[in-house]
Amino acid sequence: MAGILSVFDDGSCTVFSTTINRHALKITDAKVIVCNPGRNFVTLKIYTDQGIYGLGDATLNGMEMAVVSCLENHFIPALIGKDPRNTEDIWHYFYRGSYWKRGSVTMAAVSAIDMALWDIKGKMLQTPLYNLIGGKSRDRVLVYAHAGGADLNEAVEKTGEAIEKGFSAVRIQCGIPGISHTYGVSGDRKSYEPAQKGLPVEQYWDTPSYLNFVPRLFEKVRQVYGDAIHLLHDVHHRCTPVEAARLANELDPYHLFWIEDPVTGELQEGLRLIRKHAVTPIAIGEVFNTVYDYTTLVTEQLIDYVRMPVSHGGGITHLLKVAAFAGIYHIHTGFHGATDLSPVSLAASLHVDMALNNFGIQEYMPHPEVVNEVFDTNYRFDKGYLHIDDTPGIGVDISEEHAAKYPFSTASLPVNRKTDGTLFYW
Ligand code: EZ4
Ligand code: CO
């Protein structure tokens, strides 16, 4: 049995060689570790008086230092002395208790705290996180890969490479004739990383060219790879409701697993028009941070998948509530999993994916090898699925020594303009 060797009269017990007093546990300190093994990551480490620490991912792509400041100057001082086992109360302390609530920066900080506390809870009880939130609802987690091509042929080729690697679900993005940069396509054939060093680069966009091209892309991919493979596509917030309705309708024949962010997430009512014209499933929420961003989308059944990630949507505590709310309306999960979510986030998502009945799919963009020098992970890919082991807590550790070799370097997401110069959504 994992760990607990003896329990004493005063309630303390011995776990391996550490003696834990179960009647008292206090947060003694917390620190923020910022590193850049190929890209920036912000990791919160919370220490307790029992020698156990927990990790949370606080990375907000291109806005890292805003979250660091929120944690260091405002949240960490208020955490010291609290009992880390009270995850619900501490969540409400930082969410409900803050007059200035919601927003990406604050919620990334709340999320990191919550993740680290659940990590501590699991380590203390010597059990993987999924056992604390419902146990295993499945053996393995279906994931989707990214395939991005500069043109149609390359997109088809990259889709084939993902299938070769064992993926049964592939998100396809493709360069559009007449547009110089397209979301999801890497210029140098390396793995796609949208944040670039320094200030935001400006890119150009043309919706009519995009709308004409995308149905042809999926027609071609279906011809080449057949019906069995799950196909996904990210519109990345770039259509108006009527444009999105046209796109979703024209994609109906190719039976996509989903289209993502067909309109900007803040326009919840915009989804009504899409639903009137198409049955292509819809996923939304990678930029959301509370359940309140979802109320119309869920109660009117305007979407099929919730994408809000554990690292931006209030951590485990809040994500479980969002998933339960979605589940009542037969909506599934498809959590965000781009490379700007650290291995701590990916592992935390996998625990939630394992435990939920209404799990749908998990995004999986493998981190480059250098990231594994800094983070010690507990998941592995096999034949289209991720498997997570039974390491207690979230199960990912960080090497501060290796992290220190890769100092922070400012990077920003692009800014997008229409071809005539009008500022647009990226
Ligand atoms: O652009 O995570 O579905 N995935 C995405 C991502 C986002 C980045 C932004 O930091 O849309 O690639
Ligand atoms: Co997306």
Side-chain angles (χ1 to χ4, degrees):
M1 120 143 224
I4 299 178
L5 301 179
S6 47
V7 179
F8 306 108
D9 288 346
D10 68 352
S12 67
C13 60
T14 304
V15 178
F16 295 119
S17 58
T18 319
T19 300
I20 294 170
N21 182 341
R22 293 192 299 185
H23 295 315
L25 196 63
K26 268 192 178 16
I27 295 169
T28 49
D29 198 6
K31 77 164 147 187
V32 183
I33 302 157
V34 183
C35 62
N36 186 328
R39 64 159 355 282
N40 291 316
F41 290 117
V42 179
T43 309
L44 174 67
K45 189 168 184 177
I46 298 181
Y47 298 87
T48 65
D49 57 357
Q50 305 275 334
I52 293 175
Y53 62 83
L55 296 182
D57 178 19
T59 311
L60 186 61
N61 205 7
M63 292 285 282
E64 294 85 1
M65 289 310 184
V67 185
V68 173
S69 171
C70 178
L71 284 166
E72 288 184 345
N73 293 312
H74 305 288
F75 286 1
I76 289 175
L79 255 183
I80 311 298
K82 288 194 167 23
D83 185 330
R85 292 171 297 188
N86 299 334
T87 42
E88 187 73 15
D89 184 68
I90 294 176
W91 193 89
H92 283 277
Y93 183 92
F94 288 105
Y95 177 80
R96 197 178 295 254
S98 294
Y99 188 63
W100 308 113
K101 54 179 60 64
R102 302 174 68 179
S104 311
V105 173
T106 324
M107 291 307 290
V110 174
S111 305
I113 292 171
D114 187 77
M115 249 184 273
L117 298 183
W118 279 93
D119 193 26
I120 290 169
K121 208 190 282 285
K123 286 174 176 170
M124 189 189 166
L125 297 170
Q126 284 291 297
T127 195
L129 172 59
Y130 58 75
N131 277 337
L132 303 177
I133 56 176
K136 288 185 185 180
S137 285
R138 57 192 52 72
D139 302 322
R140 53 197 177 148
V141 172
L142 175 68
V143 293
Y144 69 88
H146 282 204
D151 57 24
L152 197 140
N153 285 338
E154 200 193 355
V156 171
E157 187 190 311
K158 293 274 185 175
T159 304
E161 284 172 21
I163 296 169
E164 280 286 295
K165 285 183 193 152
F167 286 96
S168 59
V170 187
R171 187 197 84 159
I172 309 171
Q173 307 298 130
C174 185
I176 310 295
I179 308 182
S180 58
H181 294 92
T182 308
Y183 164 76
V185 180
S186 108
D188 52 10
R189 290 188 65 98
K190 278 196 282 190
S191 168
Y192 179 65
E193 192 62 69
Q196 298 296 319
K197 236 177 164 20
L199 289 173
V201 295
E202 295 203 359
Q203 298 182 341
Y204 290 90
W205 177 251
D206 184 51
T207 305
S209 306
Y210 170 77
L211 289 178
N212 287 336
F213 180 75
V214 173
R216 284 180 222 155
L217 167 69
F218 284 95
E219 180 185 26
K220 180 76 190 170
V221 172
R222 275 287 178 234
Q223 272 169 12
V224 176
Y225 300 110
D227 291 333
I229 192 91
H230 295 307
L231 302 178
L232 300 84
H233 178 66
D234 193 346
V235 185
H236 220 262
H237 323 262
R238 291 175 187 197
C239 286
T240 63
V242 73
E243 289 165 349
R246 169 186 153 187
L247 179 68
N249 174 275
E250 291 185 9
L251 288 174
D252 273 347
Y254 311 115
H255 298 150
L256 266 58
F257 189 95
W258 77 35
I259 53 169
E260 180 187 332
D261 293 324
V263 296
T264 59
E266 70 245 66
L267 184 56
Q268 298 198 18
E269 295 79 358
L271 273 292
R272 290 179 187 146
L273 191 67
I274 309 176
R275 286 301 214 200
K276 277 192 196 145
H277 297 281
V279 291
T280 296
I282 296 169
I284 285 207
E286 71 183 35
V287 301
F288 286 3
N289 36 67
T290 73
V291 72
Y292 302 107
D293 299 318
Y294 271 120
T295 43
T296 305
L297 295 178
V298 169
T299 56
E300 293 189 26
Q301 291 178 284
L302 298 178
I303 57 169
D304 303 282
Y305 297 91
V306 289
R307 271 182 67 65
M308 189 171 81
V310 64
S311 57
H312 302 152
I316 309 292
T317 297
H318 195 56
L319 205 61
L320 290 176
K321 291 175 188 177
V322 171
F325 176 51
I328 291 166
Y329 292 85
H330 294 202
I331 293 168
H332 291 80
T333 64
F335 298 133
H336 191 201
T339 42
D340 47 286
L341 281 72
S342 91
V344 178
S345 267
L346 179 57
S349 305
L350 290 170
H351 286 283
V352 180
D353 296 336
M354 286 294 287
L356 291 176
N357 175 265
N358 62 322
F359 163 76
I361 199 166
Q362 170 67 50
E363 183 177 22
Y364 176 46
M365 256 182 111
H367 292 106
E369 202 41 50
V370 57
V371 174
N372 302 328
E373 251 182 64
V374 175
F375 293 94
D376 187 15
T377 63
N378 58 338
Y379 45 79
R380 78 187 156 79
F381 174 80
D382 184 44
K383 299 185 187 75
Y385 293 84
L386 276 173
H387 296 251
I388 191 147
D389 71 19
D390 58 3
T391 308
I394 292 173
V396 171
D397 209 348
I398 187 167
S399 157
E400 293 184 52
E401 196 189 324
H402 284 99
K405 291 196 299 188
Y406 303 102
F408 175 78
S409 156
T410 301
S412 310
L413 289 170
V415 166
N416 216 11
R417 291 185 185 277
K418 292 187 187 177
T419 44
D420 69 354
T422 308
L423 198 90
F424 196 54
Y425 299 100
W426 174 72

